[in-house]
Each structure stands twice: as structure tokens, then as C-alpha cells.
Amino acid sequence: MRPDTLNPLFAESDTLEGVGPKLRKPLNKLGLTRIRDVAYHLPDRFVQRRAIADLDEGVVGEQVVVALTPFEHRASPNQRAPHRVLAHDAKGNVCALVYFGKAAFTARKLFPPGEVRWVAGRLEQYDQWLQIVHPEHVADTSAGLLGHLIEPVYPLAEGLTQPKLADFVHQALARLPELPEWIEPGLLDRHGWPGWRDALVLAHRGEHQAARDRLAYDELFANALALMLVRADNRRRRGQPLAGDGRLRDTLALPFPLTGAQRRAIGEIEGDLTQTAPMLRLLQGDVGSGKTVVALEAMLVAVEAGAQAAMLAPTELLARQHFDTLQRFAAPTGVRIALLTGRDKGRVREAILMDLLNGTIDILVGTHAIFQDSVAYRNLALVVIDEQHRFGVGQRLLLTQKGKVTPHCLAMTATPIPRTLTLAQYGEMYVSRLDELPPGRQAIDTRVVALDRLSEVIDGLARHLDGGQQAYWVCPMVRGEHEDDDLAAAETRFATLRARFGDQVELVHGQLRAEQKDAAMERFAAGDARLLVATTVIEVGVDVPNATLMVVEQAERFGLAQLHQLRGRVGRGSEKSVCLLLRGEALSEVGRQRLALLRETQDGFRLAEADLELRGGGELLGTRQSGDTPFRLAELEQIQRLLPIAHDDARLLVERDGGLTGPRGEAARLLLYLFERDWGVQLLRGG
Ligand code: ADP
Ligand code: MG
């Protein structure tokens, strides 16, 4: 339960004065659903204004505050021309205040001729005229404006204005409770950081690096602490030491020798499994690096030791595919593998549950359905989680807590994240890296093509399909607001392609029913369908070796990691593969560089590092789609600079006060709630 002190922060943002149903929408769009979010909605930048006594003092292009007296209104002669208010300063210099469109009405009200007004805005020159277009503030006394010569500029959404948002922030800041300090005093001193509440207020008031750093540090510390608690909790738990005798693994019929990296990873996992402490290991390997076989070997160790293993996939599609692969490879071993997804109901499900409980099933593959309360295992000793990044850490914890004995946990991810971010994402998890691809993989020919060459691309696609090969066509699915448009885009593209290529074209997207999706995928995997139009549901794991062409539409809308994953769907067989990145017209410089990077390299880790550097160039983390850092506040540079400190500090705190019961521990609990890392707190109680 969240401590009461924090209640004001978690009140809905429509409790702010002036927020009704209409403004609720743009606020939600910005993620500002609670008072806390509004208070943490930090400005992108600040405008700095200078108060000048008269226009002679002003510099063209500068933001100024100046007293002006209007003397004439020149109404707009037509729709396009602006309304001009002519005004003079104390010395008689003339300046035009320019208003376009409907704002002309406001202008008449704001500037009664002959009355002095204080005006804030950007001084410009138009022909020989000085002018200010749409002054940002107009006041009849100097008081308000001269007090705000520095003004925050907030990220906006349609329907909101800067003054409105500034007002909401102001209200939110007024509601901040006084909270005890969770940062170690020495650290605060060393960096000259303000206290929490002051930091928030200062960060809205001006460029205040120390305040921003402190706030970012809070977030990093909250994350590090929560992960540290997971680690500590895991150390306290008892796992089941698993020593396999190799009898099942020896009979495996793999059609290929394992790579060195695979053997190394398996060795590391085997080592962990013999321990009493439950394993907490991350298997990181680029798309196609062969993680599935490593998982199979690990699960066979559990079965050899007389226990059960479970493998969790993020989608039904992947669960089914894993099930097929595992069955194929493990057939000679006689191990019993079952599939359980949310689709299995009634008697089928009952039968599986029964066999799970009596131990007839050795390995269960499925979606999160395999960890529902009603699912009981006879002796579950190992959990493999595929595409770990799709599951929250919290969810992972719930999984591993089933039963008196904690199962070992192997998490797998194909998202190659840079080393600095590994710490942020996974804390002190042990990591095995598959840094070597199976032999014989061909480089994928990657090209960036302008979208206006679509018809050529489709002709090329026709030749490709005629040649007997298969292809993917991916349309963007950006998280959040555009989902409907994107779906429409995929459906429209599907319609045009189907008109040309007939029923060898299939469509999959997240809003189809699971059966429809699977049916389409199965037709594609079997080669009956030759072209698969899809949103990013095919992003992870799908394996069809005969598919050798990948077309990604509006590639600039995808994160680099995501594009890399998509590209990894081809190049899986012996044929040469091609990836075409179709770019829209409005491509930013960073966007262009990113696509160029993809063309240059196929090494996921190199891509991740390079992407990180590109982003150092000022793009905000919050705007990216790949979701590769768990932070909303801390920017990349701050993560790199402050995370190691946060990490050490968190370790120290947990070593000294593992139950978080001391004064600083209590404060740190508040912090965990503040950043919604309270699964960390839950562990304290559970342990
Ligand atoms: P990941 O899950 O890491 O993306 P997969 O486990 O799906 O990769 O493996 C990709 C493909 O490579 C599969 O077709 C798999 O059978 C094959 N593969 C795995 N290991 C090897 C190996 N050592 N040599 C050759 N092919 C392999
Ligand atoms: Mg995989």
C-alpha cells in the first residue's frame, strides 16, 4: 500500500483547477495523468527575455519586454494579411504588433489606443518596420512580466498552450509534500544538489543542471534499488540444485554442431543450475544467434534431474513456433513437451493441467497462461523467458515466486543493448552473450529507398515471388496515438498487394484474433502464402528460412533496434537476402544517419552502441519507440554519468539496511513508490 504522504502526488490531474474533460485528453497524451506527472513534466528549454526601456535598446531577433502605447489599428484587408497594431515606445519609436487570423479580435481588446501596455515577445524587422508577431504576453502593469524574464517552454500536445501548461505545473508544484531525504547526505553535498522539492521547483524555473541531475538521479536510484532488492531477495531464496547426467542431451539430434558461443553459454548455465541459489541469468544474443537451442539444453538438464521446465514466450505465435522447434529437436529424447496458451480452454486445458501436476509433462511451452494461479506444477525447477524485454521486471518476479522452491530463471533477449544500459535494465543479473552467429549466414543486402519509388519496389517484389521465394512487408505500428492509422495503413497496403498478387498474400496484425493470426502465419510458414503483410507482431523470433526479402515501410518511424530485429527475419536460409527500408519524405538528419547505420553493419551490438552515440546528440529519450531504457526522466548522458553512482549507492543501502526500515530506508521506500518501482517494496514483505 502506498504511503499516505504520497497521496497528493497520485491524485488525478483533473483535480487541477482548469482541467476538465476537454483538457484531460491532451494531458493524457503527454502522459500527465497524475499530479506527479505534471510536476515532473520538465521544460524542453527556456526563453530568456530582456527588459528594455525603449526600442533603441533592443536587438532584432531578441526576446524582449518593453512598454508600448498603441495608437492605431490597421485591420487586415483580406484573409491572409494580418491585423497590425501600431504602437510607440517612450521615445516615439514605432513598432507593429502583428496578429494573424482570429487573433485580431484579441488584439483589439488587448490594445485600447492611448493606454500603455507591457509586451513580451521577439523583436523582428519587416521592411523598415520593427514588429513583434503574436506577443507572448501583454499586461497592463510591468509586475507580472518583469518577474518572469525567464520562461519555460514545455512539450505540448494539441489543445494545450504554454501558459495553460505552466499554470498546471505551478498548481502541481504547490501541492508537493515535504518528503524525507533518500539520497545520502555526502552525495548531495558533493554534487551541490538541492533537496527533492526544491529540485523540482528549480528545474521548472531555469536551466538548473544540479536540480535536473538530482531528479534524474532519483529515478536512476529508484531503479537500481528495486533491482538490487530483487537480487537480494533472490539470494535469500532456495532453488533446487540441478545436476543433469547428460543422458537426454546425448540423444538430441541437432542437425548442426553448436557454435563456440552456444557451448560457452550452456556451460555457464549448467554451472548456475548446480547451485542452491536460484539462477538469475540473461542470455543475450542477436537475432538468429541460436538462443532456442541453448534454452533447450538448459531445460533438458532440469528434466534429467527429474524436474520440470517451462518456457514463456511473449506471443502465441512464438509459443507455437518454440513448441514445434523443441519437439522436432527433442523427439529422439522421448521428453514430453506440451503447449498451453490462452486459447486452450475446457477439457484440453484440464488435461494439460492434470499432466503437469502428475509430472507426465516435462516441459511446458506457452504464453503467460502458463503462470496463472490455476496452473500447478509437480516440480518446476527452471523457467525460461524468451524476449525478456517484452515482460516487465515485476511480471518476471511473480513468475519466479511460484512454489516453495524458487525456480531457476533464464531470461533471453535479442535486443542488443549497450553495456551501460544492461545495468540499468537488468541490474546485477549475470549475462551470457552469444556473440557469434552460426556459420554460413550471408550478409543481408540492406538498401534505403524513397517511398515514391513504390511501384518499382512492387515490381521487384513480383520478380522475387515469381522466383519461388517469400517476402515480408512491414507497415509501421508506433506505440500509442497512431495505432488506428497504422492498422489502416497495413490493411490498405494488404488490399493493394492482394489485388496484384492474389491469395498468396496474407495479413497479420495485433488486432486479429489469435486463430486468424496463427492461420495466416501457418500458411506463410508452410509456403502456401508467399507474401506476409504485417505490423511489428512479426518482430521477434519468427523463423521462415525461405523468406528472403524484407520491405519496411516508413522505416524512419521505427527504432534502430526494432529495424534490426525486423531485418533479422530474413537471411535465415542459404539464399541471399535483401532488406528494403522505404523512407518517407520528412527524414531528419538523425533519421538519415540511423538508416545509414543499418546499411553499414549487421552487428546488433555495434548498432546499439552507435545508436546510443547518435542519441547523445540531443534527441530526447522519451520520443523514441524502441523503449530500450526504462527511464522517463534520466537522459542518456545522465544515465552514463550517474547510473554507476546510483548503483553503488543502492548496493550500500541494501547491505546496511536490507529491510529498508531505518530512516533512510523508509525514505527510499517512498522513492520506490514515487517512481512506481514498488514491486521492490513488495519483495521486502514477501521475503
Ligand atoms: P534466436 O532465437 O537467437 O534468434 P534461433 O534459436 O531461432 O535464434 O535460431 C536461428 C536459426 O539458426 C534456427 O533456424 C536454428 O535452428 C539455427 N541454428 C541455431 N544454432 C545453430 C548452429 N549452431 N548452427 C547452425 N544453425 C543453427
Ligand atoms: Mg528466438
Side-chain angles (χ1 to χ4, degrees):
M1 266 271 287
R2 191 170 54 225
D4 290 344
T5 353
L6 294 177
N7 285 350
L9 288 168
F10 283 85
E12 301 281 318
S13 49
D14 50 14
T15 59
L16 290 168
E17 208 166 304
V19 180
K22 218 171 107 208
L23 285 187
R24 186 70 214 228
K25 234 174 145 182
L27 285 176
N28 283 349
K29 213 170 204 175
L30 291 170
L32 311 183
T33 55
R34 292 163 192 275
I35 298 301
R36 175 202 56 183
D37 308 321
V38 178
Y40 271 108
H41 191 58
L42 300 186
D44 272 342
R45 59 194 172 86
F46 291 86
V47 232
Q48 167 95 51
R49 298 204 180 89
R50 194 160 66 92
I52 52 176
D54 54 62
L55 291 163
D56 291 338
E57 257 187 44
V59 180
V60 170
E62 192 186 16
Q63 290 276 355
V64 297
V65 176
V66 62
L68 296 172
T69 311
F71 59 91
E72 186 184 338
H73 282 260
R74 290 202 183 157
S76 159
N78 60 49
Q79 288 275 309
R80 268 162 299 139
H83 178 96
R84 287 172 198 276
V85 185
L86 301 185
H88 62 77
D89 66 5
K91 284 189 180 170
N93 298 313
V94 174
C95 175
L97 307 164
V98 180
Y99 288 86
F100 287 89
K102 287 199 194 118
F105 293 109
T106 332
R108 287 199 179 278
K109 269 198 238 132
L110 286 174
F111 297 102
E115 288 183 26
V116 180
R117 288 291 178 265
W118 288 81
V119 178
R122 208 173 117 94
L123 203 57
E124 290 170 11
Q125 189 157 2
Y126 182 73
D127 286 341
Q128 76 278 36
W129 291 90
L130 277 178
Q131 66 174 24
I132 295 175
V133 180
H134 284 242
E136 279 158 62
H137 299 282
V138 176
D140 28 357
T141 66
S142 63
L145 292 192
L146 296 186
H148 290 102
L149 289 175
I150 293 179
E151 206 170 54
V153 180
Y154 293 105
L156 286 182
E158 206 181 310
L160 280 170
T161 60
Q162 290 297 344
K164 263 191 205 141
L165 202 47
D167 173 45
F168 298 153
V169 168
H170 191 73
Q171 292 184 50
L173 292 177
R175 293 205 207 165
L176 298 182
E178 192 66 66
L179 298 179
E181 186 56 76
W182 45 77
I183 297 184
E184 209 242 313
L187 193 62
L188 277 183
D189 285 350
R190 217 170 321 129
H191 292 273
W193 286 343
W196 172 72
R197 205 163 71 163
D198 290 345
L200 266 173
V201 172
L202 287 171
H204 285 280
R205 223 182 253 168
E207 310 276 355
H208 207 300
Q209 191 63 41
R212 283 240 182 193
D213 280 354
R214 192 242 139 91
L215 297 176
Y217 184 85
D218 285 347
E219 185 178 36
L220 296 170
F221 183 52
N223 192 67
L225 184 58
L227 290 171
M228 204 64 75
L229 291 172
V230 172
R231 190 101 200 90
D233 170 77
N234 200 68
R235 286 217 181 87
R236 278 194 303 272
R237 288 175 180 277
R238 281 183 57 84
Q240 184 178 349
L242 300 172
D245 54 12
R247 78 192 133 83
L248 298 173
R249 282 169 290 163
D250 288 345
T251 57
L252 260 191
L254 294 181
F256 43 72
L258 295 174
T259 65
Q262 283 171 320
R263 281 202 304 274
R264 203 173 333 115
I266 292 166
E268 287 162 353
I269 294 166
E270 273 179 324
D272 288 355
L273 292 178
T274 59
Q275 308 294 312
T276 313
M279 170 170 77
L280 207 51
R281 181 174 286 276
L282 179 70
L283 178 62
Q284 217 176 9
D286 216 338
V287 270
S289 59
K291 292 185 291 297
T292 321
V293 175
V294 174
L296 174 60
E297 297 258 355
M299 292 193 288
L300 289 179
V301 173
V303 181
E304 284 169 11
Q308 291 168 305
M311 183 169 186
L312 177 67
T315 64
E316 299 217 6
L317 217 72
L318 288 176
R320 186 167 301 277
Q321 188 178 291
H322 280 320
F323 175 68
D324 292 342
T325 308
L326 296 180
Q327 275 214 311
R328 189 154 36 87
F329 286 155
T333 63
V335 165
R336 291 145 305 181
I337 306 177
L339 175 71
L340 180 68
T341 71
R343 278 165 61 196
D344 298 307
K345 306 243 155 67
R347 244 184 253 141
V348 180
R349 185 182 141 88
E350 293 298 309
I352 294 174
L353 295 191
M354 187 69 82
D355 287 347
L356 209 53
L357 195 57
N358 65 29
T360 312
I361 293 172
D362 299 307
I363 295 176
L364 183 66
V365 183
T367 54
H368 55 269
I370 65 177
F371 289 106
Q372 280 160 355
D373 282 342
S374 51
V375 181
Y377 295 77
R378 190 176 69 87
N379 182 11
L380 179 64
L382 169 66
V383 174
V384 177
I385 306 176
D386 194 21
E387 300 308 342
Q388 147 80 32
H389 70 286
R390 291 287 183 100
F391 300 96
V393 180
Q395 200 174 348
R396 180 182 82 212
L397 293 175
L398 293 182
L399 304 183
T400 51
Q401 279 175 34
K402 263 182 129 40
K404 278 187 280 318
V405 179
T406 303
H408 298 281
C409 177
L410 176 67
M412 309 201 290
T413 180
T415 308
I417 47 177
R419 285 185 193 278
T420 27
L421 294 185
T422 313
L423 190 64
Q425 200 84 292
Y426 302 106
E428 287 192 322
M429 246 181 160
Y430 294 108
V431 178
S432 298
R433 271 194 175 188
L434 296 184
D435 49 10
E436 175 190 357
L437 289 183
R441 290 284 155 79
Q442 297 199 24
I444 298 165
D445 184 4
T446 305
R447 291 178 228 161
V448 181
V449 181
L451 191 57
D452 56 20
R453 287 173 54 199
L454 188 64
S455 64
E456 283 169 63
V457 171
I458 294 181
D459 288 343
L461 172 64
R463 287 191 296 277
H464 185 85
L465 298 179
D466 284 346
Q469 296 185 28
Q470 291 169 281
Y472 296 100
W473 188 296
V474 176
C475 296
M477 170 73 93
V478 176
R479 203 172 47 196
E481 48 192 307
H482 296 300
E483 241 164 69
D484 296 344
D485 305 354
D486 292 334
L487 183 54
E491 278 175 338
T492 314
R493 185 60 68 215
F494 171 66
T496 47
L497 291 171
R498 188 151 229 195
R500 166 124 185 211
F501 299 110
D503 74 350
Q504 49 178 336
V505 189
E506 283 288 351
L507 172 68
V508 292
H509 58 71
Q511 282 162 48
L512 289 178
R513 275 183 295 117
E515 301 90 89
Q516 294 175 302
K517 240 188 306 192
D518 287 359
M521 273 314 295
E522 272 156 28
R523 278 198 70 212
F524 186 70
D528 298 334
R530 311 271 287 289
L531 175 60
L532 188 68
V533 179
T535 56
T536 48
V537 289
I538 61 152
E539 183 189 340
V540 281
V542 175
D543 188 19
V544 180
N546 190 43
T548 50
L549 173 64
M550 164 66 65
V551 181
V552 184
E553 227 179 289
Q554 294 188 53
E556 71 277 5
R557 287 178 65 183
F558 295 88
L560 200 47
Q562 218 174 8
L563 286 173
H564 177 64
Q565 294 248 357
L566 286 170
R567 177 170 60 181
R569 299 302 112 227
V570 297
R572 301 198 144 218
S574 50
E575 294 296 318
K576 178 100 194 135
S577 288
V578 176
C579 175
L580 297 181
L581 304 172
L582 302 190
R583 60 166 176 82
E585 282 155 37
L587 193 59
S588 69
E589 176 55 23
V590 173
R592 202 190 55 71
Q593 286 182 34
R594 279 170 154 191
L595 295 188
L597 260 176
L598 266 165
R599 221 172 37 212
E600 276 157 31
T601 180
Q602 219 161 300
D603 178 334
F605 287 102
R606 256 201 65 199
L607 274 174
E609 300 282 356
D611 194 27
L612 196 65
E613 271 166 38
L614 266 185
R615 282 190 242 161
E619 250 187 80
L620 280 177
L621 279 176
T623 61
R624 67 207 49 266
Q625 305 129 359
S626 44
D628 49 5
T629 98
F631 306 116
R632 335 194 329 179
L633 219 56
E635 293 183 23
L636 220 44
E637 181 276 325
Q638 289 171 314
I639 296 174
Q640 285 168 319
R641 182 161 46 93
L642 299 175
L643 183 66
I645 307 174
H647 190 76
D648 287 346
D649 196 23
R651 192 206 330 262
L652 225 76
L653 178 59
V654 171
E655 275 168 14
R656 284 191 199 142
D657 180 13
L660 299 186
T661 49
R664 212 185 139 213
E666 290 280 352
R669 277 177 194 238
L670 291 176
L671 176 70
L672 292 174
Y673 279 102
L674 193 59
F675 282 102
E676 287 170 292
R677 299 297 199 279
D678 38 308
W679 35 266
V681 182
Q682 253 116 67
L683 277 180
L684 292 175
R685 203 157 312 127

